[in-house]
Amino acid sequence: MAFMVKHMIGGQLKDLTGGLTEEKPEGDKGEAAAKGMTQEEFEQYQQQLEEEKQERDANFAQKKAERATVRSHFRDKYRLPKNELDETQIQAAGSDVELPTELAKMIAEDNQEEEHKQSVLGQLSNIQNVDMDQLKDKAQATLEELKNSAEKCSLM
């Protein structure tokens, strides 16, 4: 109840008193003295904080660009529509943004596996109950027979 009365009347009293209350100027001297530093130390401290903030922001932008690169890579791979937000994040990072090395290795391995699966032998290995070694031996034996018969042929 007291809170409600103070809230309702307090704001109106502040308006009535206007400039009668003494407001402290918000200067660096007050803050520096409050933190137990000299003015010079406080300025160095503020500068250091600003540099750290800029470094964090740059690192954050770089990470966002890397994530956007990963997303755009997968969009390209699976033929999904492109996202302009990702492209702007990559451009905002400024420096060359590449896929992380671990992810690039994983993608290279996946590509090799896909190429193997797309080859004829890869397709044959998917068929159950096929002995690949026996199939290779048979194919080599057939080639040998063809070579031998070609050598025996009088036309060749």
Side-chain angles (χ1 to χ4, degrees), residues 35-52:
K35 292 187 177 185
M37 298 180 202
T38 63
Q39 183 66 25
E40 230 176 84
E41 290 174 339
F42 185 73
E43 288 174 3
Q44 289 175 350
Y45 174 70
Q46 290 294 337
Q47 185 179 7
Q48 182 182 4
L49 287 178
E50 185 64 31
E51 289 172 0
E52 289 174 358

Side-chain angles (χ1 to χ4, degrees), residues 23-112:
E23 294 183 15
K24 296 181 182 177
E26 295 185 23
D28 289 339
K29 291 183 180 180
E31 290 181 34
K35 292 187 177 185
M37 298 180 202
T38 63
Q39 183 66 25
E40 230 176 84
E41 290 174 339
F42 185 73
E43 288 174 3
Q44 289 175 350
Y45 174 70
Q46 290 294 337
Q47 185 179 7
Q48 182 182 4
L49 287 178
E50 185 64 31
E51 289 172 0
E52 289 174 358
K53 183 182 182 302
Q54 290 175 352
E55 187 177 330
R56 282 193 311 270
D57 290 345
N59 287 339
F60 181 69
Q62 181 70 23
K63 291 292 183 185
K64 282 175 63 174
E66 287 177 1
R67 291 183 198 115
T69 303
V70 170
R71 287 191 299 269
S72 65
H73 167 75
F74 284 115
R75 282 193 180 95
D76 290 341
K77 181 178 180 180
Y78 296 110
R79 298 183 186 109
L80 298 172
K82 296 185 186 241
N83 188 351
E84 292 181 21
L85 179 63
D86 287 344
E87 292 175 11
T88 56
Q89 286 177 346
I90 293 170
Q91 291 174 355
S95 62
D96 293 331
V97 181
E98 297 179 2
L99 290 174
T101 55
E102 296 173 3
L103 182 61
K105 288 178 185 176
M106 290 171 52
I107 290 170
E109 291 172 1
D110 287 346
N111 288 342
Q112 288 176 351

